């Protein structure tokens, strides 16, 4: 055990032993030795003969910061970065860490809510069968026409909570109405950028937008969408249960993450290249959502436009904790800082950290219209403008042209990618002209890809 008492050192004059410093900092001697070994908190002096550690009392503030960061669950490797920063930069890093914790907690909460709703619905269905009623707990016919302010219920909160079983028969159950997707995708370089790093895809089984960043951003966004296609084909023909679908989506997300890492790997410099991704995979009765970053998905139902994804960004976290208004966020210097994204293994500190995408299942209704877009659209066109354009458009092709046009009218400061998809009864889609699977590269504002 290291000797109690005081010692005289160079620097600040009087030093204290590890035991006394332990009382000052409220860290155990064991923890102080561990932090010394990790380089988080070096003693001011180590006796070269007996190895006793001596600390400057002024180090207590840093020691307490380390202890507080451990109490909020921050990993030691990240604490090492934080304590090396000045106070202002450290505050930004801690805010970013905690915003990510809250985003991941929200994703787990949404999954827990979905599981509760799903199991409760199964319980009600089993009870109805036991009673001999055969009822599925439906609540009447689907809502009114799009844009009419009809009777469709408001979906769950913007975080993406999956609705409980909607009107009519349960998805995939007896008497279920066969539904299909009619869709279109369009990307545009914008009026300022010289390269388009956004990617979009619209097909009968897959809807996706990805916003690449860094030197290999275009490769990252393209790889993310390509990695989704095999899973989309399998899920569309699988007939899996909801639980198995969630597992399959988890596997799909892992495959996409690997594909992005491999696409970014050829870059010699660790510049933080990567991509956001918002994708929906059609299973024949549900849409599986895979989302990470600040691209978005919206649902138009009953005349209301609802955001069903959560931005994994610093400014979104600041809006939610009340420290920033949405108007202030639009011009905030850190508005491009992502808390989660698909990135390569080598990245620079200011970029988002690699993380697992949010995974959810959403029940759908005939008449639903979905919009997926990169922030090149959502950052310059407010939700009122998006809603008006999506409602006014007769077809998905018309909708994506209108939306890209709105981005240009707002100055087109960034690449734009958008996908619009309608959920329709299979009979109404007969004869719909469109490619079986169509992606949109840099299509300008004229070429539109469609699928049904």
């Amino acid at each position: 055990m290291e000797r109690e008492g005081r010692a005289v050192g160079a620097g600040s004059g009087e030093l204290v032993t590890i035991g006394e410093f332990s009382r000052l900092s409220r860290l155990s001697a064991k923890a102080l030795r561990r932090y010394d070994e990790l380089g988080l908190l070096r003693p001011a002096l180590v006796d070269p003969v007996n190895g006793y550690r001596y600390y400057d009392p002024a180090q207590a503030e840093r020691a307490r910061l380390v202890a507080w960061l451990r109490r909020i669950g921050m990993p030691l490797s990240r604490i090492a970065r934080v304590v090396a920063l000045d106070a202002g930069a450290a505050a930004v890093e801690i805010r970013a860490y905690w915003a990510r914790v809250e985003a991941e907690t929200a994703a787990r909460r949404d999954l827990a809510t979905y599981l509760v709703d799903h199991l409760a619905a199964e319980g009600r269905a089993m009870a109805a069968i036991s009673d001999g009623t055969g009822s599925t707990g439906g609540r009447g016919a689907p809502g009114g026409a799009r844009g009419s302010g009809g009777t469709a219920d408001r979906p769950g909160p913007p975080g993406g909570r999956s609705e409980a079983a909607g009107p009519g028969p349960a998805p995939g159950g007896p008497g279920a109405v066969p539904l299909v997707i009619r869709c279109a995708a369009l990307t545009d370089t914008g009026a300022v950028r010289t390269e388009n790093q956004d990617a979009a895809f619209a097909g009968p089984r897959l809807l996706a937008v990805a916003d690449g960043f860094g030197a290999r951003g275009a490769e990252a966004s393209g790889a993310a969408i390509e990695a989704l296609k095999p899973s989309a084909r399998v899920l569309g023909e699988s007939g899996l249960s909801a639980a198995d679908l969630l597992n399959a989506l988890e596997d799909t997300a892992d495959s996409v993450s690997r594909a992005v890492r491999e696409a970014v790997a050829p870059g010699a410099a660790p510049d933080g290249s990567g991509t956001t991704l918002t994708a929906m995979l059609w299973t024949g009765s549900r849409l599986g959502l895979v989302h990470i970053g600040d691209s978005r998905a919206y649902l138009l139902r009953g005349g209301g436009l609802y955001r069903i994804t959560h931005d994994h960004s610093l400014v979104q976290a600041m809006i939610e904790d009340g420290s920033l208004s949405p108007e202030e966020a639009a011009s905030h210097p850190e508005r491009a800082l992502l808390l989660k994204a698909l990135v390569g293994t080598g990245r620079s500190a200011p970029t988002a950290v690699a993380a697992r995408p949010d995974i959810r299942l959403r029940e759908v209704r005939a008449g639903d219209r979905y919009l997926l877009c990169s922030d090149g659209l959502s950052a310059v066109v407010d939700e009122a403008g998006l809603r008006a354009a999506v409602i006014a458009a007769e077809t998905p092709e018309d909708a994506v042209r209108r939306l890209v046009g709105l981005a240009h009218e707002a100055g087109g400061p960034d690449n734009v990618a958008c996908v619009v998809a309608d959920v329709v009864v299979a009979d109404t889609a007969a004869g719909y002209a469109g490619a079986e699977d169509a992606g949109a590269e840099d299509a300008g504002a004229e070429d539109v890809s469609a699928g049904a």
Side-chain angles (χ1 to χ4, degrees), residues 15-156:
L15 303 180
V16 299
T17 61
I18 192 171
E20 187 164 347
F21 189 71
S22 174
R23 288 189 290 273
L24 282 173
S25 63
R26 299 192 178 184
L27 289 171
S28 69
K30 181 179 180 180
L32 290 171
R33 294 188 189 97
R34 175 65 172 156
Y35 296 160
D36 179 13
E37 293 168 0
L38 296 173
L40 292 174
L41 189 66
R42 298 290 193 190
L45 176 68
V46 177
D47 191 304
V49 177
N50 53 36
Y52 291 159
R53 296 172 174 85
Y54 296 94
Y55 293 83
D56 190 323
Q59 291 179 278
E61 183 176 354
R62 177 167 175 161
R64 293 188 192 106
L65 176 59
V66 172
W68 292 331
L69 293 175
R70 287 297 292 156
R71 289 179 66 182
I72 66 172
M74 185 178 286
L76 290 171
S77 58
R78 190 157 187 170
I79 290 175
R81 294 205 304 270
V82 172
V83 297
L85 299 171
D86 62 48
V92 171
E93 182 75 7
I94 294 168
R95 182 188 292 277
Y97 167 76
W98 192 247
R100 182 185 173 193
V101 169
E102 291 186 325
E104 291 174 346
T105 301
R108 291 195 294 270
R109 181 179 62 246
D110 289 340
L111 178 56
T113 300
Y114 168 78
L115 293 172
V116 169
D117 289 346
H118 170 68
L119 293 173
E122 281 194 351
R124 289 192 297 271
M126 292 301 296
I129 292 171
S130 298
D131 292 342
T133 63
S135 171
T136 58
R139 295 176 292 174
R146 179 168 55 248
S148 65
T151 60
D153 295 334
R154 181 186 179 106

Side-chain angles (χ1 to χ4, degrees), residues 12-419:
S12 62
E14 191 176 65
L15 303 180
V16 299
T17 61
I18 192 171
E20 187 164 347
F21 189 71
S22 174
R23 288 189 290 273
L24 282 173
S25 63
R26 299 192 178 184
L27 289 171
S28 69
K30 181 179 180 180
L32 290 171
R33 294 188 189 97
R34 175 65 172 156
Y35 296 160
D36 179 13
E37 293 168 0
L38 296 173
L40 292 174
L41 189 66
R42 298 290 193 190
L45 176 68
V46 177
D47 191 304
V49 177
N50 53 36
Y52 291 159
R53 296 172 174 85
Y54 296 94
Y55 293 83
D56 190 323
Q59 291 179 278
E61 183 176 354
R62 177 167 175 161
R64 293 188 192 106
L65 176 59
V66 172
W68 292 331
L69 293 175
R70 287 297 292 156
R71 289 179 66 182
I72 66 172
M74 185 178 286
L76 290 171
S77 58
R78 190 157 187 170
I79 290 175
R81 294 205 304 270
V82 172
V83 297
L85 299 171
D86 62 48
V92 171
E93 182 75 7
I94 294 168
R95 182 188 292 277
Y97 167 76
W98 192 247
R100 182 185 173 193
V101 169
E102 291 186 325
E104 291 174 346
T105 301
R108 291 195 294 270
R109 181 179 62 246
D110 289 340
L111 178 56
T113 300
Y114 168 78
L115 293 172
V116 169
D117 289 346
H118 170 68
L119 293 173
E122 281 194 351
R124 289 192 297 271
M126 292 301 296
I129 292 171
S130 298
D131 292 342
T133 63
S135 171
T136 58
R139 295 176 292 174
R146 179 168 55 248
S148 65
T151 60
D153 295 334
R154 181 186 179 106
R161 170 180 172 177
S162 178
E163 299 104 330
V177 176
L179 301 174
V180 295
I181 301 293
R182 294 174 54 176
C183 53
L186 182 61
T187 72
D188 187 83
T189 305
V192 175
R193 302 292 179 88
T194 58
E195 178 188 8
N196 191 355
Q197 295 186 313
D198 283 8
F201 183 88
R205 301 177 183 88
L206 173 64
L207 314 168
V209 296
D211 181 356
F213 54 84
R216 298 190 66 84
E219 290 85 348
S221 61
I225 291 180
E226 286 299 315
L228 287 167
K229 293 179 181 179
S231 295
R233 285 190 286 270
V234 171
L235 290 176
E237 302 167 355
S238 62
L240 296 174
S241 68
D244 288 337
L245 281 171
L246 284 171
N247 289 338
L249 288 171
E250 292 277 1
D251 294 340
T252 297
D254 290 340
S255 298
V256 172
S257 297
R258 286 194 298 271
V260 171
R261 288 196 299 271
E262 291 169 2
V264 171
D271 70 335
S273 294
T275 186
T276 69
L277 177 67
T278 300
M280 305 189 88
L281 293 84
W282 176 239
T283 71
S285 59
R286 299 179 177 90
L287 280 168
L289 175 68
V290 179
H291 167 71
I292 188 168
D294 63 353
S295 293
R296 293 180 176 179
Y298 295 88
L299 167 62
L300 180 71
R301 177 180 288 174
L305 186 71
Y306 310 102
R307 177 147 58 106
I308 58 174
T309 52
H310 178 89
D311 289 356
H312 300 133
S313 65
L314 179 62
V315 294
Q316 181 64 40
M318 295 172 73
I319 291 171
E320 290 169 359
D321 70 17
S323 59
L324 201 65
S325 70
E327 294 74 22
E328 291 169 332
S331 58
H332 193 277
E334 300 291 348
R335 63 187 178 277
L337 180 60
L338 297 174
L339 301 177
K340 292 171 63 176
L342 300 171
V343 298
T345 52
R347 63 176 183 84
S348 56
T351 63
V353 295
R356 182 181 290 274
D358 294 345
I359 303 294
R360 298 186 186 89
L361 288 178
R362 297 195 64 86
E363 307 297 347
V364 300
R365 302 177 189 176
D368 286 348
R369 173 168 278 185
Y370 287 89
L371 163 63
L372 282 63
C373 64
S374 64
D375 69 339
L377 176 64
S378 60
V380 296
V381 180
D382 63 21
E383 291 190 2
L386 295 178
R387 176 182 176 276
V390 173
I391 286 177
E394 182 66 25
T395 65
E397 296 91 336
D398 182 26
V400 294
R401 287 193 183 100
R402 286 173 182 262
L403 292 165
V404 169
L406 287 177
H408 271 273
E409 290 174 11
D414 198 357
N415 304 152
V416 184
C418 59
V419 169

